Amino acid sequence: MSEYLNHIFENFKGSEEELIPILQKVQEEAGYLSVNAMHEISRFLRIPRSKVYGVATFYAQFRFKPKGKKHIMLCRGTACHVKGAPRILEEIENNLGIKEGETSEDLEHSIESVACIGACSLAPCITVNDKVHADLTPQKIEDLFKKKKSDKK
Amino acid sequence: MTKVNLTIDGRKIITDAGKTILEAAIENNIYIPNLCHHEDLKPSGVCRMCMVEIEGQRGQIIACKTIVTEGINVIIDSPDITNIRQTTLELIHCNHTQDCNNCMKNSYCQLQKVTAYVGINQKRFERMRKIKDYIEIDDSNPFFNLDHNKCIICGICVRTCDEIQGVNALDYGKRGFYTIISSYDNRQIKDSDCESCGECVVRCPVGALYPKNMQIPSREVKTVCTYCGVGCNIFLGVRGNKIISSRGDRNSIVNKGRLCVKGRFGYEFINHPERLKQPLIKKDGVFVEASWDEALDLVASKFSSSKKEKFAAFSSARVTNEDNYIIQKFTRAVMGTNNIDHCARLCHAPTVSGLVQTFGSGAMTNSIDEFLHTKTIFAIGSNTTAAHPIVALHLKEAKRNGAKIIVANPKEIDLCNYADIFLQQYPGTDVALLLGMIRYIIDENLVDKNFINERCEDYDTFTQSLEDFSLEEVEKITGVPAAKIAKAAKMYATNTPSAIFYAMGITQHSHGTDNVLAISNLALLTGNIGKESAGVNPLRGQNNVQGACDMGALPDVYPGYQKVNNPVAQEKFEKAWSVKLDNNIGITHTEIISEIEHGNIKSLYQVGENPVISEADANHVKKALDKLDFFVVQDIFMTETAQYADVVLPAASFAEKDGTFTNTERRVQRIRKVIEPIGDSKPDWWICCEIAKRMQAKGFEFSNAEEIAKEAFALTPSYVGISYDRIENEGLQWPCPTPEHAGTKYLHKEKFATPSGKAKFMPLTYKLSKELPDDEYPLLLTTDRSLYHYHTSTMTRKVEGLRELDKEELLKINPHDARHFHIKDGEMVKVLSRRGEVSVKTHITDICQKGVVSMTFHFFETPTNELTICEVDPVAKIPETKVCAVKIEKIL
């Protein structure tokens, strides 16, 4: 079993109600919930692993693939939506060759759509890691991710 | 029970307090639509179909979760109710495949039934209709499919897998519109934790889970499963002369309708093309088909010339009581010898030799059903979920009822998932572990003094033998932390009633009898025997191993354990059979093999057994069989052992004959002829009677199994009260000494079956296993079982699906040892012992402790028993198949 899991489990009693806090803690440490981690959690809490998986997939906050080095959060709030967020998402997906919720195989990029990042005056916008990119157009997206696309070719 | 008066749908009814409205309605044949209800499961209330109103109360409630109260008037139909039901139902239909005519569950479907009753508004439903993305049907399991597109998320499968099976392979995944029934990591069924028992398939109300073979039988016959010793009652379904289905009998107290993967899906072998259909005689080294007359005449003439000590017979724990009775009668009355034994020698001989000394009887003391009320379950040396799956379901149910489970096993078996305490002892150290527990119980004064004083003997001499078994010492021997042993001992002694379960992990040792005696000491010490839900329970491995022993297929006893060297018994049977009988005890299974090797036994008659694969040190068996002058094998398939035979006689399978099996809890149950025998095969009793008649013997003129049972049961004291009429619907548990006797639920209630009526404590010493790892052979090999196979797999490997679920032998090895020997997971390695070598694929797993590797013996390509050692227990003569030393070599 991985060191980091042991370390996390030390701070818990091992009772059923600790499942969600443990899932959160593991995700915080590892960036996502791996198949192996969920298995170990189920052994630690003596909860069937199908149940652990069921709980984890119920909540939108948990992810099952590692984040990319560049984690893109796309705003789908009202203002961004009105100003063309779906088109922006499509453009990002086309450029990176991955879908929303996925991580590229080289672990460079991952895309996640979120409800609102609170920058409505800059709509449509995304964040790449912590940096906000504002007033986006398909052209700007292409510029932003062009290198990636040409690499692929 | 208190009764409650209420009105449902205008009808006044009386029901038991504590029932739900839905249950009350169902028992009174009032239909309230429902989708997520199942009588075996706790109510979950997710489908919202059973909405009803109670007069005088506001709003609607769900009938499946509301307990009845006095005087309520339940209205099951009103405009509001219909409206709610219709809307809910339309939402279910919105994303349900509308393809009823092509659906396997057409006309059995609960959704169809509810829809017909409630009605849906076609226009409204069409408008809302939004099909989810099509999800490919999961057809990875060989026996059933999962079609998510038809799933209505009622959760019956999830609850079945949890509440009935305790496996939890399925649960809800994701949420809202996207909710699906999902295994861990949304894997295909075959890669999930699923055990393929099919309980969810049986209960699925729609076409989401359905068997691959969905043929409807033209008729069904009630009989008993032929696999393990649990004796589940089944209905075999037939079309033509072919078995096409198997389902559990819900009215049976043994399995309550539940079955494991073998019982539900493992019937294909019956009609397998490789079944033996014609007698075969070996001519110039080749088997040639022969007529029954030719084959039987040959056998009779050869047997005539090698009677008495030149002859031996292996009977079988697979065949009926009637077959066993005839085979032992033939051996004793016609061949004039007591050289008869069967494979119980290789499994529970120490149980008989041990428990007969201490309790006077070697059978399970309780019934399976009693365990639901046991408080502490102590399972030692039993991989219950794999070898006795339906008993395991009872244990899991007991656990849900609040029982504690202690598992003692060298390997971390599946049952450990339910265990409160897991003791992982080093293989072969059970005596030390048990005596350590006993000494702790005595030191802490947790013994049942009254029970010991009133019902036991030799307690004082026994306590003196415990000197060497302090917890510290035992920890050193077994590798189990002292504190854990103490905790387990305390739990067993104080949280009563406690029951012990054990199987091959206890018996298959060169000190197997000592292991059994240690268990009996522990039970006596705490008074956990002779009571309901408390006792000592050896789980018998084969469908009729209890019956084969009861019927005297053993070298030292006539039917009913009447000693062959007891003149009274001898006279009884001489009178009954009108012949002179030999009063010398015959030789055992393992000794018969040696005697053949030494040239003393010339002829062997073997029924339904495969020692070339099942016997320890198999190479030595092969050598012996080659030396026989005349070898007759009677079986349903051409087994590895049958290859050595001179004559092979085709026997009818359990589905082709009448008779009785006695299960592990001493229950004598009827098996019935479902189809005509395949080819020209014949029931075992018929074949043996024909041989006897051709040797001019009298007393073999039987025309059916019932006539044999009448003679056999009358001579067996514990069976005297049992007749086919009495067990027509439900089996009876022996002892059943008179036709009025109701059978015996648990043994030793008032007195023990020993001559003095008291149980005996037996002083013990700890003995090492005969061959332990050393520098040359550094690993300890132990043997185990797979859920998907049975014994030497002559039947289960004829079932395609079972073969697919468990394809090949795997050497289970601890990750630490794997690193040490530089072995990768899945790599082929050579396993060598001092007796043989086997090439096998590795499986790295931490269920094995460090230094211990494990293999099954189900696969003839990798004959594990060529490695095991034939060191036998001095009393029971059982070989030590659980412990031998091996080494591993890489294949270059």
Side-chain angles (χ1 to χ4, degrees):
Chain A
M1 190 164 63
S2 319
E3 270 305 300
Y4 84 98
L5 286 174
N6 263 335
H7 194 68
I8 291 171
F9 293 164
E10 274 168 17
N11 298 313
F12 292 92
K13 293 197 300 279
S15 59
E16 231 176 57
E17 67 273 12
E18 293 170 333
L19 174 58
I20 293 172
I22 291 180
L23 288 171
Q24 286 170 325
K25 197 80 195 158
V26 170
Q27 175 151 304
E28 201 181 300
E29 290 279 319
Y32 74 112
L33 300 174
S34 68
V35 172
N36 181 43
M38 285 187 286
H39 174 74
E40 292 299 340
I41 294 169
S42 98
R43 278 174 63 104
F44 175 64
L45 296 178
R46 302 190 58 144
I47 298 175
R49 56 186 196 163
S50 60
K51 179 132 269 156
V52 172
Y53 182 75
V55 170
T57 53
F58 182 86
Y59 293 102
Q61 62 174 299
F62 295 117
R63 25 187 318 118
F64 304 94
K65 283 175 196 149
K67 275 188 197 170
K69 256 187 234 157
K70 291 179 185 150
H71 184 60
I72 301 155
M73 288 210 277
L74 173 102
C75 179
R76 301 289 298 263
T78 317
C80 287
H81 185 81
V82 170
K83 294 197 81 177
R87 181 83 181 89
I88 300 295
L89 174 62
E90 203 179 303
E91 199 59 32
I92 299 173
E93 288 178 342
N94 285 343
N95 271 283
L96 297 177
I98 51 170
K99 294 274 174 212
E100 193 248 307
E102 291 180 350
T103 305
S104 62
E105 263 173 45
D106 57 6
L107 298 182
E108 274 297 314
H109 293 90
S110 51
I111 317 173
E112 180 187 358
S113 69
V114 296
C116 181
I117 58 175
C120 304
S121 60
L122 306 174
C125 61
I126 61 171
T127 60
V128 178
N129 294 342
D130 287 333
K131 193 172 176 329
V132 181
H133 297 263
D135 289 323
L136 292 170
T137 60
Q139 186 56 48
K140 282 190 183 170
I141 292 295
E142 207 184 318
D143 294 344
L144 202 55
F145 298 112
K146 197 167 47 189
K147 195 168 175 296
K148 173 80 181 172
K149 203 177 176 186
S150 57
D151 277 357
K152 274 208 131 167
K153 282 175 187 170
Chain B
M1 184 162 273
T2 355
K3 297 283 177 189
V4 174
N5 295 286
L6 72 159
T7 310
I8 301 181
D9 200 23
R11 222 174 107 198
K12 285 196 171 16
I13 58 174
I14 303 169
T15 189
D16 296 335
K19 287 229 158 111
T20 65
I21 294 175
L22 184 60
E23 283 168 342
I26 289 170
E27 73 184 18
N28 285 284
N29 284 322
I30 301 170
Y31 181 63
I32 300 177
N34 64 81
L35 287 168
C36 69
H37 169 80
H38 193 284
E39 53 186 315
D40 299 341
L41 305 170
K42 281 185 245 155
S44 77
V46 297
C47 77
R48 317 312 278 182
M49 275 301 134
C50 63
M51 287 282 178
V52 293
E53 290 167 3
I54 294 175
E55 195 184 44
Q57 292 183 15
R58 202 155 45 89
Q60 287 77 31
I61 47 132
I62 46 173
C64 69
K65 278 204 147 183
T66 309
I67 305 293
V68 290
T69 43
E70 183 64 34
I72 52 168
N73 179 15
V74 182
I75 298 150
I76 65 168
D77 246 327
S78 76
D80 278 352
I81 292 173
T82 306
N83 198 15
I84 294 170
R85 283 186 190 148
Q86 277 184 347
T87 314
T88 314
L89 192 58
E90 282 158 14
L91 286 168
I92 292 172
H93 272 288
C94 274
N95 37 51
H96 183 84
T97 311
Q98 302 289 306
D99 188 17
C100 291
N101 277 338
N102 280 325
C103 179
M104 293 282 216
K105 287 273 180 77
N106 191 14
S107 87
Y108 299 96
C109 174
Q110 289 302 309
L111 186 61
Q112 285 178 334
K113 189 175 173 187
V114 171
T115 308
Y117 183 87
V118 174
I120 51 174
N121 181 329
Q122 191 71 25
K123 265 193 192 155
R124 203 162 52 177
F125 144 66
E126 291 291 350
R127 200 173 56 239
M128 290 194 295
R129 188 159 169 73
K130 182 186 175 196
I131 296 284
K132 294 182 189 179
D133 289 340
Y134 179 78
I135 305 172
E136 279 298 320
I137 294 175
D138 180 353
D139 60 357
S140 62
N141 187 286
F143 298 118
F144 62 87
N145 291 352
L146 169 56
D147 183 353
H148 289 287
N149 309 296
K150 287 178 185 159
C151 179
I152 56 168
I153 321 283
C154 67
I156 285 180
C157 55
V158 174
R159 285 181 286 142
T160 300
C161 206
D162 177 25
E163 293 173 31
I164 306 272
Q165 200 63 18
V167 169
N168 297 90
L170 296 174
D171 209 314
Y172 297 101
K174 306 189 186 168
R175 68 168 159 182
F177 181 69
Y178 299 99
T179 306
I180 58 163
I181 299 300
S182 161
S183 65
Y184 178 62
D185 194 25
N186 205 7
R187 291 174 186 168
Q188 286 199 315
I189 294 289
K190 91 167 158 27
D191 302 322
S192 72
D193 300 330
C194 174
E195 291 181 346
S196 305
C197 66
E199 292 291 333
C200 58
V201 181
V202 174
R203 289 180 178 78
C204 179
V206 293
L209 281 159
Y210 57 94
K212 284 206 158 86
N213 174 10
M214 199 53 198
Q215 271 187 310
I216 299 160
S218 62
R219 64 192 167 90
E220 286 187 320
V221 180
K222 186 178 159 174
T223 185
V224 175
C225 176
T226 187
Y227 287 108
C228 75
V230 179
C232 295
N233 288 217
I234 54 172
F235 285 95
L236 285 180
V238 192
R239 260 199 203 194
N241 206 36
K242 198 168 175 204
I243 308 286
I244 57 151
S245 68
S246 164
R247 69 178 171 93
D249 176 6
R250 295 183 59 89
N251 295 322
S252 156
I253 191 168
V254 179
N255 56 315
K256 301 182 180 126
R258 299 173 294 195
L259 293 175
C260 72
V261 57
K262 298 188 288 284
R264 190 181 312 280
F265 300 115
Y267 50 78
E268 218 173 271
F269 75 91
I270 300 167
N271 292 89
H272 196 274
E274 283 174 30
R275 274 287 300 276
L276 290 170
K277 297 184 187 77
Q278 200 67 40
L280 301 170
I281 297 174
K282 201 180 257 171
K283 290 177 180 159
D284 305 323
V286 191
F287 283 114
V288 185
E289 286 196 354
S291 69
W292 272 109
D293 275 334
E294 191 187 347
L296 291 169
D297 284 340
L298 175 67
V299 174
S301 76
K302 290 279 188 182
F303 279 176
S304 300
S305 63
S306 59
K307 285 188 175 178
K308 305 231 164 187
E309 66 284 350
K310 283 190 223 149
F311 176 86
F314 288 158
S315 192
S316 175
R318 317 298 335 280
V319 302
T320 62
N321 287 325
E322 292 73 8
D323 297 331
N324 270 296
Y325 174 80
I326 290 296
I327 294 161
Q328 64 86 33
K329 181 177 177 182
F330 169 76
T331 308
R332 296 194 157 110
V334 184
M335 301 308 290
T337 173
N338 287 311
N339 289 346
I340 176 162
D341 205 356
H342 70 285
C343 40
R345 186 66 51 199
L346 311 179
C347 64
H348 269 299
T351 297
V352 178
S353 59
L355 296 186
V356 167
Q357 288 178 59
T358 58
F359 304 158
S361 164
M364 225 169 117
T365 65
N366 302 97
S367 340
I368 298 170
D369 196 43
E370 284 170 43
F371 306 135
L372 299 180
H373 305 290
T374 301
K375 290 272 182 56
T376 301
I377 287 162
F378 181 25
I380 180 166
S382 158
N383 187 356
T384 326
T385 54
H388 301 90
I390 303 302
V391 169
L393 295 189
H394 282 79
L395 304 190
K396 292 174 190 173
E397 204 174 330
K399 169 85 185 176
R400 279 192 293 275
N401 290 347
K404 301 278 183 200
I405 297 185
I406 306 167
V407 173
N409 204 299
K411 289 193 305 179
E412 195 179 340
I413 51 172
D414 285 351
L415 198 62
C416 295
N417 293 335
Y418 310 89
D420 296 275
I421 302 175
F422 170 44
L423 312 171
Q424 192 168 23
Q425 80 274 34
Y426 192 65
T429 61
D430 309 81
V431 168
L433 179 71
L434 290 161
L435 291 184
M437 288 174 71
I438 287 171
R439 165 124 178 227
Y440 178 82
I441 290 169
I442 294 175
D443 289 352
E444 294 292 307
N445 206 14
L446 302 171
V447 299
D448 185 341
K449 282 207 189 73
N450 287 340
F451 186 88
I452 296 171
N453 291 338
E454 283 162 25
R455 307 212 38 198
C456 307
E457 288 171 342
D458 301 341
Y459 179 60
D460 293 331
T461 31
F462 168 67
T463 50
Q464 284 153 23
S465 73
L466 297 169
E467 195 66 29
D468 302 334
F469 297 98
S470 65
L471 287 183
E472 295 68 37
E473 201 54 42
V474 170
E475 175 172 336
K476 267 185 228 154
I477 301 172
T478 60
V480 184
K484 264 190 167 181
I485 302 174
K487 198 175 157 201
K490 192 167 183 187
M491 187 182 279
Y492 176 80
T494 55
N495 187 33
T496 55
S498 304
I500 304 178
F501 290 84
Y502 71 89
M504 302 299 89
I506 283 296
T507 56
Q508 290 180 331
H509 291 279
S510 56
H511 48 269
T513 307
D514 288 357
N515 286 346
V516 172
L517 293 174
I519 286 178
S520 110
N521 287 335
L522 177 62
L524 291 173
L525 188 72
T526 52
N528 276 310
I529 180 121
K531 297 172 186 164
E532 186 149 0
S533 308
V536 172
N537 297 289
L539 296 172
R540 309 301 300 249
Q542 294 177 306
N543 55 333
N544 195 35
V545 63
Q546 185 65 55
C549 294
D550 297 343
M551 287 299 122
L554 295 170
D556 55 340
V557 289
Y558 294 118
Y561 306 97
Q562 303 170 75
K563 288 274 178 193
V564 293
N565 54 3
N566 173 355
V568 182
Q570 189 185 353
E571 202 191 317
K572 175 177 171 180
F573 282 90
E574 283 181 344
K575 207 171 142 211
W577 295 343
S578 319
V579 284
K580 275 274 174 236
L581 293 169
D582 184 6
N583 62 356
N584 292 309
I585 290 176
I587 54 174
T588 61
H589 201 293
T590 30
E591 290 165 325
I592 288 171
I593 302 278
S594 320
E595 285 304 298
I596 295 171
E597 206 176 2
H598 297 140
N600 298 331
I601 287 176
K602 305 280 184 200
S603 294
L604 181 65
Y605 177 36
Q606 183 203 283
V607 181
E609 207 190 321
N610 196 7
V612 164
I613 304 292
S614 64
E615 189 102 355
D617 194 2
N619 282 324
H620 146 89
V621 179
K622 289 180 195 169
K623 264 184 242 154
L625 294 181
D626 268 336
K627 288 204 173 156
L628 279 168
D629 283 352
F630 190 63
F631 182 24
V632 180
V633 169
Q634 190 168 306
D635 211 311
I636 63 172
F637 286 109
M638 189 53 134
T639 62
E640 290 73 23
T641 308
Q643 303 287 354
Y644 291 82
D646 296 291
V647 177
V648 178
L649 302 172
S653 79
F654 82 111
E656 296 144 38
K657 62 185 176 188
D658 286 300
T660 53
F661 286 159
T662 306
N663 79 348
T664 184
E665 50 164 7
R666 300 168 275 108
R667 193 182 297 278
V668 184
Q669 308 192 99
R670 270 285 266 129
I671 65 152
R672 292 181 180 82
K673 182 169 165 177
V674 184
I675 54 172
E676 287 301 318
I678 299 290
D680 211 5
S681 65
K682 301 280 185 193
D684 291 280
W685 62 262
W686 182 92
I687 302 172
C688 190
C689 285
E690 281 301 308
I691 300 172
K693 282 191 254 177
R694 279 160 213 259
M695 293 172 75
Q696 279 73 47
K698 293 277 175 292
F700 289 88
E701 298 79 14
F702 298 102
S703 55
N704 59 45
E706 191 172 3
E707 287 176 18
I708 302 169
K710 273 187 188 144
E711 177 179 315
F713 295 180
L715 290 165
T716 311
S718 51
Y719 279 65
V720 168
I722 301 173
S723 63
Y724 277 23
D725 287 343
R726 288 195 71 194
I727 56 171
E728 179 63 26
N729 293 318
E730 193 174 289
L732 278 169
Q733 286 173 285
W734 67 254
C736 178
T738 62
E740 296 76 35
H741 195 281
T744 308
K745 195 170 171 187
Y746 57 94
L747 299 177
H748 317 307
K749 190 176 178 182
E750 265 122 30
K751 64 185 190 77
F752 285 92
T754 50
S756 65
K758 290 193 170 186
K760 266 196 176 59
F761 277 99
M762 301 294 273
L764 291 169
T765 52
Y766 167 62
K767 300 184 190 87
L768 291 175
S769 301
K770 293 288 181 216
E771 189 187 64
L772 287 166
D774 50 27
D775 289 344
E776 201 189 347
Y777 293 90
L779 292 166
L780 187 152
L781 171 73
T782 188
T783 54
D784 60 2
R785 308 285 184 278
S786 154
L787 168 67
Y788 303 99
H789 288 299
Y790 182 77
H791 224 242
T792 64
S793 303
T794 48
M795 299 186 318
T796 46
R797 288 187 82 194
K798 302 286 189 306
V799 181
E800 209 181 313
L802 291 174
R803 227 168 39 217
E804 204 179 309
L805 286 171
D806 190 359
K807 292 189 183 78
E808 59 192 335
E809 184 68 78
L810 294 171
L811 176 84
K812 279 146 270 172
I813 182 167
N814 181 283
H816 179 274
D817 295 324
R819 268 196 303 278
H820 186 259
F821 294 99
H822 307 288
I823 290 164
K824 287 195 284 293
D825 193 38
E827 180 180 343
M828 286 295 286
V829 294
K830 217 190 271 179
V831 186
L832 301 98
S833 79
R834 290 185 174 85
R835 293 153 296 279
E837 62 172 74
V838 168
S839 293
V840 62
K841 206 184 241 183
T842 54
H843 172 50
I844 300 177
T845 163
D846 43 23
I847 67 163
C848 280
Q849 54 184 294
K850 233 161 76 178
V852 175
V853 293
S854 153
M855 286 168 78
T856 70
F857 67 104
H858 300 310
F859 301 89
F860 67 85
E861 306 91 331
T862 49
T864 308
N865 277 321
E866 291 190 5
L867 304 170
T868 53
I869 185 165
C870 197
E871 283 289 347
V872 297
D873 179 283
V875 189
K877 313 283 182 196
I878 188 170
E880 187 154 61
T881 33
K882 286 291 178 201
V883 178
C884 75
V886 295
K887 63 179 170 186
I888 295 179
E889 279 177 9
K890 285 177 89 81
I891 297 177
L892 299 170

